[in-house]
Amino acid sequence: MQYSCFGQKMVQRSGIAELMDDLGRSMSGAGKMLMLGGGNPADIPEIQEIWRTEMRKLVGERDLFDGMLCHYDTPQGNPRFLEAVAGLFREVYGWPVGPDNVAVTNSSQTAYFMLLNTLAGDFADGSRKRILLPLSPEYIGYADQGLAPGFFAAGRPSIELRGDHEFKYHVDFDNLALGSDIGALCVSRPTNPTGNVLTDDEVRLLAQKAQAHDRYLFIDNAYGAPFPNIIFSDAKPFWDRNTVVTLSLSKLGLPGTRTGIVIASEPIIAALSSINAVVSLASGNIGQALAMPLIEDRRILSLSSDVIQPFYRRRLDAALQWAGEYFDSDLPWRLHTCEGALFLWLWCPGMPLSSRAFYERLKKKGVLVVPGCFFFYGLDEEWSHRDECIRINYSQPEEVVRPALRLIGEEMRAAYLNR
Ligand code: PLP
C-alpha cells in the first residue's frame, strides 16, 4: 500500500508512539509494573459516584436519554451546553463570552489537531508558518499533530534554582522570536510534563505579544481552573479575543467521554465548527449531557475546588515527602515546583545516563516513567538538560507511587555513581 503524505505522517512510528507501545506491552507483561508513565487521572470514588448518579438520572428520563443518544447535535455542540459553559465563565471570571464563543470537540486532543493545523502549516501564498511553544518542554501530545514539516518552534526556558532540590522554568522573553513565520503560540497551563504554571505576568506578556503580531495564543487548560482545578498556585485564568482557551472533561474523571471545550472569538469557533462538521459531523453528546447539570447549577466549581484539587494536593504532598526520603540529598537532583497537573518533573543535572537509558533501567526494575527527551521537540539547539529529565505521574495510590519513588532513588544513585 502506498500512503499519501498525510497517511505517511500519521502512520509513521514516532518516538512517542513506540514508547507508548512499550509502556502498554510492559504493563501487560508477566511481572507487576509500577505505572507512573501515563497521563490517566486518578480514581476519585466520590467523583465517580457523581457520574454514576448523573448517568442513572439520564437513563431514567426518557427525553434526556433520547436527547443524549438518538440525534446529532450541531457541529459546534449542544446549544444548551454552549450557553451553560459561556454563562459559567461570564459569571466566574467576567469574560465577555456567549454561546458563539464556545465549541465542543471530541476531546481537547482533537481540538488541537484542528486548531494547530488551521493556523500553521502551508499557506496559499506559498509561505509556511509554525506554532511557537514559548516554553519548552511542552505537552508531548502536540508533537506529532502538525501536518507540515518543521511544524514547531520552541523557546528554551530560563531556569530559576530554588533551594537545593527544586527549580522552576520561566519564559525567556529576551530570546522569544515571534517572527512572520509564526502562525500561533501555544502553552499548556498547568504544563504537562512539568507541573509549571506560567505566572499571570508571563501570560499577559505572551497575550500582548500575540496581539501585537495579530496572532492567536492557545492556552491549554486541561488541568486548570475552574475545572478540574488541579492547580496549586493562585494564577488567574486568562482570556481575551486573541486567546483560545481549551478545557477538557477528562481530568474531571470523564476521559472516556472524549469531550473538549474551546472558548475563543467567533471566527475561531466558526472555523472549528466547519472543520468538526467535515471530520465528525458532530461531537459526542454523552460528556455534555453528563456535565451539563453540574455546570448549570455550578456544582462543578465546588467539586473541583473541594474534592478534586485537595485529592491531588494530598497525593502530591505524599509523593514529595517520599521523594525527599528516598532521593539521596547529596546528589544534585531537582524537582520542578509542582504548581498543578499530575506530574513530578525530575531533573538530574550531569547524570551520566541519557533519559531514555534511565527509563530502560527503571523499566527493568519494574517502574514505568516517561523519558524527558520527548518533550523538547521544536527546540533545535543542543542542550544537555533535554536529556536529564524524566516525567513521573504522582497521582496513583501509595502502593504504586511509594515503592516506585524508592526504586527511582536507588537507580538515580547507581547512575550517578556509574554503577
Ligand atoms: N492537553 C494536555 C496538556 C493534556 O495533558 C492532555 C491529556 O493528558 C490533553 C490536552 C488531552 O486531553 P483530552 O483527553 O481532552 O484529549
Side-chain angles (χ1 to χ4, degrees):
M1 176 167 48
Q2 207 185 359
Y3 288 121
S4 66
C5 293
F6 174 85
Q8 263 176 357
K9 164 77 198 159
M10 301 310 280
V11 173
Q12 74 188 353
R13 305 299 297 149
S14 65
I16 190 64
E18 275 177 29
L19 180 80
M20 295 320 278
D21 273 359
D22 191 40
L23 288 174
R25 272 195 309 275
S26 306
M27 283 306 284
S28 56
K32 188 161 168 16
M33 300 295 281
L34 302 169
M35 178 52 155
L36 274 53
N40 225 42
D43 292 338
I44 307 180
E46 195 174 338
I47 299 293
Q48 288 169 326
E49 184 53 36
I50 284 167
W51 297 131
R52 280 195 296 273
T53 304
E54 292 303 321
M55 184 58 96
R56 275 194 294 270
K57 283 189 206 159
L58 286 167
V59 172
E61 288 212 29
R62 192 173 149 164
D63 285 353
L64 290 178
F65 188 74
D66 292 352
M68 173 174 71
L69 289 188
C70 305
H71 70 95
Y72 295 116
D73 252 316
T74 76
Q76 190 184 336
N78 177 290
R80 189 171 149 194
F81 185 82
L82 302 177
E83 173 48 39
V85 170
L88 181 91
F89 281 87
R90 275 197 311 271
E91 187 184 297
V92 176
Y93 299 123
W95 294 356
V97 292
D100 290 348
N101 299 108
V102 183
V104 175
T105 55
N106 286 314
S107 79
S108 61
Q109 187 70 16
T110 310
Y112 277 97
F113 184 71
M114 298 190 277
L115 288 166
L116 298 176
N117 285 297
T118 301
L119 295 183
D122 292 326
F123 284 67
D125 64 3
S127 66
R128 179 172 283 172
K129 293 195 189 348
R130 302 190 289 170
I131 296 291
L132 176 63
L133 308 172
L135 197 159
S136 176
E138 189 47 278
Y139 173 48
I140 188 71
Y142 312 136
D144 290 309
Q145 290 202 322
L147 295 175
F151 195 76
F152 291 98
R156 176 170 158 170
S158 63
I159 294 181
E160 178 197 344
L161 301 181
R162 297 177 155 184
D164 291 338
H165 292 295
E166 199 177 327
F167 75 110
K168 178 172 164 69
Y169 294 126
H170 293 283
V171 177
D172 181 1
F173 282 98
D174 292 339
N175 292 307
L176 195 69
L178 210 173
S180 58
D181 64 324
I182 298 301
L185 296 84
C186 180
V187 294
S188 58
R189 183 188 195 235
T191 306
N192 177 355
T194 57
N196 191 27
V197 173
L198 294 183
T199 63
D200 293 339
D201 282 346
E202 284 174 317
V203 171
R204 232 186 334 266
L205 268 172
L206 287 175
Q208 277 167 11
K209 272 189 176 277
Q211 194 167 32
H213 289 79
D214 195 19
R215 296 289 185 265
Y216 280 100
L217 168 65
F218 299 133
I219 301 182
D220 183 342
N221 197 35
Y223 301 92
F227 61 85
N229 206 28
I230 309 174
I231 182 164
F232 314 119
S233 74
D234 58 4
K236 290 182 190 48
F238 178 90
W239 185 81
D240 67 11
R241 295 190 62 78
N242 269 83
T243 305
V244 178
V245 171
T246 62
L247 297 110
S248 167
L249 298 188
S250 295
K251 314 301 171 183
L252 278 171
L254 294 177
T257 68
R258 312 307 299 125
T259 311
I261 299 169
V262 180
I263 302 180
S265 63
E266 294 80 359
I268 289 284
I269 297 301
L272 260 185
S273 302
S274 300
I275 304 169
N276 209 27
V278 173
V279 176
S280 304
L281 294 186
S283 298
N285 295 347
I286 296 176
Q288 299 179 73
L290 276 170
M292 186 140 58
L294 282 83
I295 295 178
E296 286 181 336
D297 67 12
R298 307 291 186 253
R299 260 183 302 154
I300 200 152
L301 302 178
S302 50
L303 279 180
S304 298
S305 51
D306 301 344
V307 181
I308 297 178
Q309 199 261 16
F311 177 92
Y312 283 102
R313 178 81 246 185
R314 282 193 298 277
R315 292 249 160 131
L316 171 64
D317 287 343
L320 288 174
Q321 195 192 319
W322 298 323
E325 260 172 59
Y326 299 134
F327 295 2
D328 190 335
S329 61
D330 292 336
L331 296 174
W333 60 269
R334 288 180 184 272
L335 286 171
H336 193 284
T337 309
C338 184
E339 299 167 307
L342 315 181
F343 311 105
L344 294 179
W345 180 247
L346 173 64
W347 172 29
C348 300
M351 190 161 90
L353 202 60
S354 72
S355 63
R356 185 82 205 229
F358 193 27
Y359 157 80
E360 294 291 348
R361 275 168 78 151
L362 288 171
K363 194 173 71 175
K364 277 205 189 95
K365 295 284 172 177
V367 180
L368 292 168
V369 296
V370 181
C373 53
F374 291 109
F375 298 88
F376 291 91
Y377 56 97
L379 196 62
D380 292 333
E381 57 192 291
E382 282 300 309
W383 187 27
S384 57
H385 180 88
R386 30 193 307 174
D387 221 7
E388 294 177 337
C389 303
I390 57 169
R391 192 192 76 176
I392 300 167
N393 184 325
Y394 70 75
S395 73
Q396 298 308 304
E398 174 169 358
E399 60 269 26
V400 176
V401 177
R402 189 174 188 154
L405 289 173
R406 188 172 49 72
L407 285 161
I408 292 171
E410 284 172 16
E411 285 306 304
M412 188 199 317
R413 188 161 45 242
Y416 268 116
L417 299 177
N418 244 329
R419 286 200 303 242

